[in-house]
Each structure stands twice: as C-alpha cells, then as structure tokens.
Amino acid sequence: MSATLCVLFNHAYPNNIPIIKKIYEKRFKNIIFIMPFARNVGDDVITSYRGSFSFQGMIADAAPRLSEYKSDYYVFVQDDVLLNPALNEENIEKYLGIGPKMAFFPQFYSLSGPIHRWFWTTRVVWRLFYSHNSLGGSGAEMALKYLPPKEIAEEKAKRYGISCAPITYDNIENCKVPHFSSSEHTRSLNKSLMDGLFFSAHEKRSIVLPYPFVFGISDFFALHKDVFDEFVHFQGVCAGMDLFAEVAIPSGLMVCAEQVVQCKDLGLEVDWVWGNNRENLEISYLKEKLDENFLLIHPVKLSKMGDSIDKIIEMSSSFHQSTK
C-alpha cells in the first residue's frame, strides 16, 4: 500500500518546506508540495497560479504530476495543520477507515443552514443563483453540466443526512457581517449584498441551489486512487466557477466517492479552533491533544513557532516510532 502526502499552501512559505519534510518524512515516502506563485523552489514543489479562496484549483493543476506517483491513496493537508503522528502511510486504511473507492473528510455540513461557520460559504449562492453579476462576473452559468448528474448528487446528500432544502435569509444570520471585518463600510456593504440577494420587493425569499453542494473545513482529507480522476475533474470545474474551496472539496468527495468516512464515524476529534495564542502553542498542549483521540490540530504556524520547531519534529518522530 502506498500514499502520497500532498501539502497545500494558501500562501507561499517555502522556508516551511524543510520543517514539514522532517515532520512527515518517516511516515510518508512520497511528499509533494503545492504552492501558489513561487517558482523554482524545488523538484518536489508544484507551482500553482490560484488564490487561497479557491485552492481546489491547485489540486486540479497538480493532478498530472500527482498521478505519476501511482499511489493507492492521496492525502491532502494544509501546511499549518499538524497531523497526529500515529497516522502514517502504512496504517492509513485502518486509521481513517477507508478502502477502494472511498474517501475521508472530517465533517460535512449542509448549505441549507444555518450557514454560520464560515462567511465565504454564502458566496456560492451568488455564483449559482446569480451567475451573471457585476461583482462575481460570469463563468458559472454553463459549468454545472460538466458535474455528475444532479440526481446522483441528491442521492449522495441524503445518504449523509444532508438537507437540500432552500436557503433562507435567516439561515445566514451570522454571515451578514463578517466577524473578521473591522471596517464599518465593509460591514454595511456586505449586509446590503445579502439583503439584495434574499429580498424581493421587500419580502424575504428562499433560494434553491441548482446543485446540492455541501461545505466543511477542508484543510485535511484523503481519497483512494479510484476516486482521484473524477474528484480532480469536479475540483477543476468548481475552480472555473470560482466557488469557495470549502464548498468544492467536500461536495466533490461526497459525489465522487462511493463512501466518505467522517470523524464522527471513527470517534476522532479535530481542533480547528482559532484562539488568542495559537501562534505560540505550548508543546505540552500539542502533546496532550495528540496523545488523545485528536486527528489533527490547526493552526500550527510553523513560521512563527521559533524554538519550538525542534520539539515538534522530535515529538512527531517519537510518536511515529512508538506506533510501529
């Protein structure tokens, strides 16, 4: 059994590559880095010309090179995610509960609501409901016909308990004002955009998407080679539509894989939470979480960890050796 570890970068941090190699080189034989814009970084680095908003396009760009490895599994992880050191190439099937024609994704969420976990998810409504507009431009109006049939996607969504109900203004209550915006002008503009989308003649309206998409934090996922080609095509189409990556990636896995295993199926936990001191994580905190049933911790900003880097590398190696 073989697996290629594909490390995705939202922004170009080539100085993190040697650190990431040391963390994972004893656990994965093949490690490839996919980085935006930076050129001539190394033979194991694929340059992509995509932004972080639609980083699924990086996967589509890198697919021809990744296919050359002919791996059984492709494991994708963002550079600021620290995986549990117990996970390695040899035990990926057992650890993630996957096999042929299967994939792993932390957790699916319905776009029908409440859409509150991440502001950018609302943009998929603009792209699909108003395929031509002065802000989003065009490009989405013909793309859906290149995805698997809507009926198949709907059946898959039902299998995972995902509602395809209409999206309403009340579903996006916490997305009208982005939590990360300190500009009053930006807040006011965004609320106006949402009001324009969900109100018609001063009455609230619901919106039915033309395709059953889902969303979920997409900084780690894995898939079998049987799923790879169809998944890559799905991501390429969604990148062409400029859909948010955390809609495109889980939707593609849901539709293209025969079965998607999630954390809740295995009793695994993840730590996605941003806190006040996440750039200065204590090693004791990392060890405590990874010693438990945590699959991953995010964000671990390697470029800002300073003297703790050596301890992180040492911890990862010791965990790996203890699980053999």
Side-chain angles (χ1 to χ4, degrees), residues 271-286 297-302 304-306 308 312:
D271 184 354
W272 296 119
V273 182
W274 283 83
N276 294 327
N277 298 310
R278 295 309 294 268
E279 292 181 356
N280 298 294
L281 287 173
E282 296 289 338
I283 294 298
S284 58
Y285 175 86
L286 293 174
I297 296 176
H298 167 276
V300 180
K301 298 297 184 181
L302 298 176
K304 299 181 179 181
M305 291 297 290
S308 298
I312 290 175

Side-chain angles (χ1 to χ4, degrees), residues 32-242:
I32 196 78
F33 302 90
I34 308 173
M35 184 176 293
F37 314 138
R39 297 188 296 173
N40 304 318
V41 178
D43 293 339
D44 53 0
V45 179
I46 300 173
T47 300
S48 176
Y49 295 95
R50 308 278 185 165
S52 58
F53 180 83
S54 54
F55 67 80
Q56 75 273 20
M58 297 183 190
I59 299 170
D61 290 344
R65 174 83 176 275
L66 298 179
S67 297
E68 294 176 2
Y69 287 96
K70 300 186 184 302
S71 297
D72 296 314
Y73 292 94
Y74 293 90
V75 181
F76 293 87
V77 62
Q78 284 282 353
D79 69 299
D80 60 351
V81 170
L82 185 64
L83 296 177
N84 192 309
L87 175 62
N88 59 64
E89 183 173 357
E90 296 177 0
N91 69 2
I92 187 172
E93 288 185 331
K94 182 177 181 181
Y95 199 103
L96 298 180
I98 55 179
K101 301 181 181 180
M102 296 174 66
F104 175 89
F105 188 81
Q107 187 170 352
F108 291 146
Y109 296 97
S110 172
L111 269 175
S112 295
I115 303 177
H116 67 280
R117 295 179 180 272
W118 194 231
F119 166 68
W120 300 121
T121 52
T122 55
R123 192 171 183 273
V124 69
V125 183
W126 275 100
R127 294 299 290 145
L128 298 179
F129 189 69
Y130 288 126
S131 58
H132 290 78
N133 64 77
S134 58
L135 292 178
S138 63
E141 61 276 5
M142 300 294 290
L144 290 178
K145 70 178 183 179
Y146 296 101
L147 297 181
K150 177 181 178 181
E151 294 74 20
I152 293 178
E154 288 175 336
E155 188 278 327
K156 292 287 187 71
K158 290 179 182 178
R159 183 185 305 177
Y160 298 107
I162 298 297
S163 170
C164 296
I167 299 173
T168 70
Y169 188 78
D170 294 332
N171 291 146
I172 61 155
E173 183 65 39
N174 294 330
C175 289
K176 295 165 196 168
V177 180
H179 64 83
F180 51 78
S181 173
S182 58
S183 166
E184 184 62 34
H185 176 73
T186 301
R187 291 170 180 265
S188 176
L189 175 61
N190 189 72
K191 187 176 187 306
S192 296
L193 291 172
M194 292 297 101
D195 289 349
L197 184 61
F198 284 96
F199 282 84
S200 178
H202 304 292
E203 293 183 358
K204 290 183 181 179
R205 65 180 169 195
S206 59
I207 294 175
V208 178
L209 292 181
Y211 198 86
F213 288 96
V214 295
F215 79 99
I217 300 176
S218 304
D219 288 357
F220 173 75
F221 58 97
L223 62 153
H224 191 268
K225 63 182 180 182
D226 295 341
V227 184
F228 185 76
D229 288 344
E230 289 302 313
F231 172 76
V232 165
H233 173 74
F234 196 107
Q235 299 315 299
V237 173
C238 289
M241 290 192 284
D242 196 27

Side-chain angles (χ1 to χ4, degrees), residues 24 28 101 132 165 236 246:
Y24 294 113
F28 293 90
K101 301 181 181 180
H132 290 78
E246 294 189 343

Side-chain angles (χ1 to χ4, degrees), residues 258-276:
E258 285 194 0
Q259 181 182 352
V260 181
V261 179
Q262 301 175 66
C263 283
K264 62 183 181 181
D265 301 321
L266 304 172
L268 291 173
E269 297 185 66
V270 293
D271 184 354
W272 296 119
V273 182
W274 283 83
N276 294 327

